[in-house]
Amino acid sequence: MSTYLPRRCGLATYTADLREALGVATDDLETVVVAIDRDGHTYGDEVVATINQDRIEDYSAAARVLREADVQVVLIQHEYGIFGGPDGSHLLELTRALNACGIAYLLTLHTVLPHPSPGQAATLRALCARAARVTVFTETARRVAIRTGIAAGHQLVVVPHGAPDAMRQAPDPATLRPELRDLLDTVAGKPTLTTFGLLGPGKGIDIAIDALAEVVNKHPDTQYIVAGSTHPEIRREHGERYREGLHEQAKRLGLGDNVHFVDAFLELDELSAILHASTLFVTPYRQPEQICSGALTFALGAGLPAVSTSYSYAEDMLAGGAGRVVPIGDGAALATEIIDLLTDARALAAAKSVAESCAAWLPWPAVAAREADLFAEVVQQTQAAAARPGHATAAAPALNLAHLDKLTDEIGILQFSRGPNPDPASGYCVDDVARLAIVAADLLAVGTDAKQTAQATRWLRQSVRFLIAAYDPAGSMHNVLSYGGTWQDWPHMGDHVGRTVWALGVLVGTPAVPDDIRRPAAALLDDLGPRTAALPDLGLRAGAYALIGLARAGRSDQAAPLLRRLDEALVETSAADPAWRWFESELTYDNARLAQAMLLGAALLEDDDAAGRAVAALDWYVQHVGLADGTLRCVGNHWHRRGESPALWLADDGDEQPIDAAAITEALVDAWQHTADPVLARLAGWGYAWFLGRNRAGARLYVDASGACHDGLSATEPNGNQGAESTLAYYQALLSLLRAGLAALPHPVVATAPVPTSLPVTTMSTKAGNHGRIVGRASAGFSATATPPRSRTTEGHSDAL
């Protein structure tokens, strides 16, 4: 779907060339065309529908034509200005209709703007959101698309712009028009510069003519061919004003005999003849964001080196040495580089050699074969999705607990890692130990091999012992324990207490947990449960964590006040701004836990109205973070505040956190179990897939070889560290799907690695002595006699250590 010949524009030529190449590259594709039109062109039989770009009803009508023709995949060529509506938004009507018909579509982006307007960004983001794939021409374009939030990394595929085979050798001059033969005779044996393409002010031909005035001072016989008619839209608006101005400029500078204008839309053999008669190709374009140039691709396909202004595509294509790049609008620099190459025969030959190597991988058949592979992948995935039940998700990677085993010792689980290696200096915290207990209980619930069951049971015993030791009889808890075995904080209330109640509730409510572990867990829950009503005063999350645990344990009396506080917060904030249907006026961290807790509490207390409000809030959140469109974009370091422009959130390059991906996955699993809505199950699978590469960077955070998870995700890559919180978040998400029957592990299960010996021997030996002292106090509940820090100053912290 694109503009198409005989409409005269680069996109029409691209589409015709691609279609022809697809016919050569594969025998199992039948292609038809939907032409975007404005002037009532007459098309060939391959065009099955024509869309008047300004008539919105034509877009949905074209989708119906494609459905009746049994089309399976649509490839949309996207360029700004060829689709009707504000910022080309009429195209959304077609993509919505395609989705309704069950037809997948791919999108090729011919322009990727580094700073799109809000309208441009919104339209293109919506187009990309439901696309099966989004192709771009260069890696730079891919990075820009990710950074601007236009598309997610897992959707984006780099497929180069093809060049026709006809470019690789010059045609027989006898086959050319007489006037073109005369031009080639005129420039024969002389240094010749060429620019071709539809003319308009953005092409910067005036800059090149100014530069030519300097070039002829050094090389007087230099010729410059400007081939191509005026762009139809420019001619429609301004006539031939730009071309006439170029003629006048050349005469004024005394270049009338050096500049040759070919006012025609040239055929491939004619372009090839001109390029093979040239010494250098010149693209003096004015738009630095231009992400593609068919003209430059054709030139390189002919093995012709280039001198270009520094727009994005030229920087990518010429970076290997196939030419020179100069600043936008700098005619003097353009002249300098042209003169240098015309003067230095060795440098010119080197650039030509690199350009000829480019010609080897740019031919259309190779590009078309890659496109055909993408079509086949999309069709296969679409068919597989249609064959699965509505609630099914893809198989999960094999269970591998090696990294958790590496992080965990006889005391608990170390907080942080430096890369994949545990960092003993980070010590332990109640938050992570509570998470470990939840994961261990779920491992027992889903059933694992004997070795993993033994590991999970050991982790549960250690976790319960640690949590009991952290508890203060006055009713609060320590949180941070040093590697040497001393508490680093005074007992206090906070998120860690809520997570402890959550973990204890899971242990109490999971039948697979052994009785000798469940009993002390229940006793500690008895002590902490009555104190949870005060947790929301410290923050809604602390109360939400506790509510999840109380719901898992079935303790309705203690859950009731926590549910009421969450419900009141949701109703109050939603009433203040109906467009912001959330519990707080900003989205921070671990957000979906609020909706999950409210839903579980409401289900426990059989409050259908509150449960409905919780599911509605979760649906709002799913929409807000992009998961409804297929790709989760977790809230990063820039928290999302009510009333703030979404552009600020999307421009945030801060790391996304695995705990947020785990939270939304688990919340959706619980929502599916409550409502039986298959859409929620599918969304839960997409949330979990964030760990496996379905994210804005297209990067895999889960490490199959070790079972670790990276600590965060920037716009382009994961954080190198692999700590406890992130790895446990991955397993919480995975195990929630497994418990619900929404995922299945492959068989056989991966065996875990033995306890590693990567830590220095001296450190391990010293630590063993400390552990001996702590384990000896275990029966007394870790009396925690160490003095907490007096303050957060370095001096106070050192005294405490």
Side-chain angles (χ1 to χ4, degrees):
M1 178 177 172
S2 172
T3 56
Y4 194 65
L5 299 177
R7 184 169 176 174
R8 293 185 169 184
C9 72
L11 205 61
T13 301
Y14 173 90
T15 303
D17 289 345
L18 174 58
R19 181 174 181 272
E20 180 180 355
L22 285 169
V24 174
T26 177
D27 294 329
D28 58 0
L29 281 179
E30 180 183 351
T31 59
V32 295
V33 177
V34 174
I36 306 297
D37 193 85
R38 200 178 213 178
D39 300 311
H41 290 101
T42 299
Y43 296 99
D45 293 341
E46 70 272 21
V47 176
V48 296
T50 302
I51 293 176
N52 182 318
Q53 66 185 60
D54 298 314
R55 287 171 50 89
I56 191 169
E57 57 268 28
D58 282 10
Y59 291 81
S60 53
R64 292 193 293 272
V65 170
L66 296 176
R67 180 186 60 193
E68 292 165 3
D70 292 326
V71 164
Q72 291 175 284
V73 181
V74 176
L75 177 59
I76 300 172
Q77 305 298 329
H78 182 273
E79 181 62 276
Y80 292 102
I82 70 165
F83 301 107
D87 300 302
S89 57
H90 282 2
L91 183 57
L92 292 171
E93 187 70 18
L94 178 127
T95 58
R96 281 192 289 265
L98 290 176
N99 286 149
C101 296
I103 302 175
Y105 70 90
L106 298 87
L107 202 66
T108 296
L109 304 183
H110 287 255
T111 298
V112 182
L113 300 174
H115 304 290
S117 70
Q120 289 171 328
T123 299
L124 195 51
R125 194 175 298 121
L127 290 169
C128 292
R130 293 194 178 277
R133 296 286 190 281
V134 179
T135 68
V136 290
F137 295 116
T138 66
E139 184 60 34
T140 296
R142 183 180 184 275
R143 290 195 298 269
V144 172
I146 292 172
R147 188 175 67 246
T148 55
I150 293 301
H154 77 272
Q155 296 176 291
L156 287 157
V157 181
V158 176
V159 179
H161 190 302
D165 275 339
M167 294 299 106
R168 304 196 69 177
Q169 59 185 15
D172 181 351
T175 63
L176 302 176
R177 289 179 290 161
E179 57 268 32
L180 189 54
R181 289 202 304 270
D182 291 344
L183 171 62
L184 297 181
D185 288 342
T186 300
V187 303
K190 302 174 183 176
T192 301
L193 317 176
T194 291
T195 298
F196 82 83
L198 296 173
L199 296 193
K203 294 298 177 67
I205 307 300
D206 50 310
I207 299 171
I209 292 175
D210 280 340
L212 182 65
E214 296 294 325
V215 173
V216 297
N217 287 333
K218 297 288 185 180
H219 300 277
D221 55 349
T222 301
Q223 308 293 300
Y224 182 31
I225 299 174
V226 180
S229 56
T230 301
H231 194 289
E233 297 301 320
I234 299 295
R235 188 167 57 243
R236 188 194 310 274
E237 295 281 333
H238 306 288
E240 294 289 354
R241 188 182 310 165
Y242 182 66
R243 176 183 296 278
E244 292 165 357
L246 296 177
H247 279 272
E248 294 171 3
Q249 179 187 7
K251 291 178 182 178
R252 184 175 67 253
L253 294 174
L255 301 173
D257 294 332
N258 301 81
V259 181
H260 309 277
F261 292 93
V262 180
D263 185 4
F265 192 80
L266 300 175
E267 301 296 332
L268 288 180
D269 61 336
E270 296 173 327
L271 285 175
S272 181
I274 290 174
L275 292 174
H276 281 277
S278 301
T279 311
L280 288 171
F281 192 69
V282 179
T283 54
Y285 301 164
R286 284 190 161 92
Q287 298 87 2
E289 67 275 4
Q290 184 163 338
I291 215 72
C292 180
S293 168
L296 179 56
T297 305
F298 279 32
L300 293 175
L304 183 62
V307 178
S308 175
T309 50
S310 58
Y311 58 94
S312 177
Y313 188 71
E315 290 175 354
D316 278 351
M317 298 300 287
L318 303 182
R324 306 283 177 85
V325 176
V326 303
I328 294 282
D330 192 339
L334 189 68
T336 297
E337 295 298 342
I338 292 171
I339 291 169
D340 184 61
L341 285 171
L342 294 181
T343 303
D344 188 341
R346 182 174 297 178
L348 180 61
K352 184 171 182 59
S353 176
V354 176
E356 288 171 344
S357 69
C358 292
W361 54 265
L362 284 174
W364 266 118
V367 174
R370 179 68 182 113
E371 291 276 16
D373 288 343
L374 287 178
F375 300 156
E377 289 174 19
V378 169
V379 169
Q380 184 179 25
Q381 291 172 3
T382 302
Q383 291 173 341
R388 289 196 301 265
H391 65 272
T393 60
L399 195 62
N400 186 346
L401 304 181
H403 191 64
L404 282 182
D405 204 37
K406 188 176 180 180
L407 288 170
T408 308
D409 57 25
E410 63 268 38
I411 293 300
I413 186 165
L414 291 166
Q415 292 189 76
F416 304 135
S417 285
R418 295 180 183 273
N421 299 313
D423 180 10
S426 67
Y428 319 86
C429 70
V430 164
D431 291 296
D432 288 340
V433 170
R435 294 184 180 102
L436 178 64
I438 294 167
V439 167
D442 283 347
L443 284 169
L444 295 182
V446 302
T448 55
D449 65 26
K451 186 173 184 178
Q452 292 169 339
T453 297
Q455 281 180 306
T457 304
R458 172 167 55 84
W459 292 340
L460 282 176
R461 296 188 197 284
Q462 293 170 205
S463 298
V464 170
R465 191 185 73 213
F466 191 103
L467 296 175
I468 291 172
Y471 177 63
D472 182 82
S476 56
M477 298 182 72
H478 297 282
N479 189 19
V480 180
L481 182 73
S482 75
Y483 191 65
T486 58
W487 292 111
Q488 300 300 292
D489 56 355
W490 293 103
H492 62 287
M493 300 293 281
D495 283 4
H496 65 298
V497 177
R499 285 198 178 93
T500 297
V501 174
W502 178 1
L504 296 172
V506 169
L507 269 58
V508 169
T510 302
V513 172
D515 287 342
D516 66 323
I517 298 174
R518 185 185 297 107
R519 283 194 298 271
L524 183 54
L525 184 58
D526 289 340
D527 285 346
L528 282 173
R531 306 176 192 278
T532 57
L535 285 174
D537 294 335
L538 305 173
L540 287 182
R541 275 161 193 74
Y545 299 146
L547 180 54
I548 294 172
L550 294 171
R552 298 290 193 212
R555 301 201 172 188
S556 55
D557 290 346
Q558 293 164 358
L562 298 178
L563 172 62
R564 185 167 56 251
R565 291 290 296 276
L566 278 174
D567 200 5
E568 289 170 352
L570 176 60
V571 170
E572 180 180 349
T573 309
S574 300
D577 183 357
W580 185 269
R581 299 174 63 187
W582 198 241
F583 301 83
E584 300 168 311
S585 59
E586 62 182 356
L587 295 170
T588 57
Y589 66 96
D590 221 4
N591 296 290
R593 297 297 181 194
L594 301 178
Q596 180 190 11
M598 183 172 168
L599 175 59
L600 291 175
L604 175 67
L605 295 165
E606 298 182 348
D607 186 339
D608 292 341
D609 290 340
R613 288 190 288 274
V615 172
L618 181 60
D619 178 68
W620 176 90
Y621 180 67
V622 164
Q623 301 284 340
H624 184 89
V625 295
L627 188 57
D629 292 325
T631 305
L632 173 62
R633 173 74 182 272
C634 300
V635 177
N637 296 346
H638 183 110
W639 291 353
H640 298 190
R641 293 175 175 83
R642 183 177 64 191
E644 194 173 55
S645 169
L648 294 176
W649 312 330
L650 292 166
D652 176 29
D653 285 336
D655 281 6
E656 300 176 48
Q657 301 300 317
I659 59 169
D660 270 301
I664 197 168
T665 301
E666 291 187 73
L668 285 163
V669 168
D670 286 334
W672 172 71
Q673 290 180 313
H674 182 77
T675 65
D677 183 350
V679 172
L680 297 173
R682 183 168 66 251
L683 291 170
W686 290 352
Y688 165 69
W690 180 92
F691 292 95
L692 306 181
R694 192 182 183 112
N695 51 55
R696 60 172 170 160
R700 194 175 180 89
L701 280 84
Y702 176 67
V703 182
D704 296 77
S706 65
C709 179
H710 290 276
D711 280 355
L713 178 73
S714 73
T716 56
E717 61 186 357
N719 184 301
N721 298 326
Q722 299 165 18
E725 178 185 282
S726 55
T727 300
L728 290 166
Y730 169 80
Y731 283 104
Q732 284 186 259
L734 170 60
L735 291 166
S736 71
L737 292 168
L738 293 173
R739 282 191 289 106
L742 295 177
L745 292 172
H747 296 286
V749 174
V750 172
T752 58
V755 176
T757 56
S758 58
L759 293 175
V761 173
T762 54
T763 303
M764 293 293 286
S765 299
T766 302
K767 189 179 176 189
N770 289 333
H771 285 178
R773 288 188 286 107
I774 294 175
V775 171
R777 297 200 304 271
S779 60
F782 284 98
S783 59
T785 55
T787 304
R790 292 188 295 270
S791 69
R792 292 190 179 272
T793 63
T794 303
E795 180 182 358
H797 194 67
S798 298
D799 289 348
L801 293 175

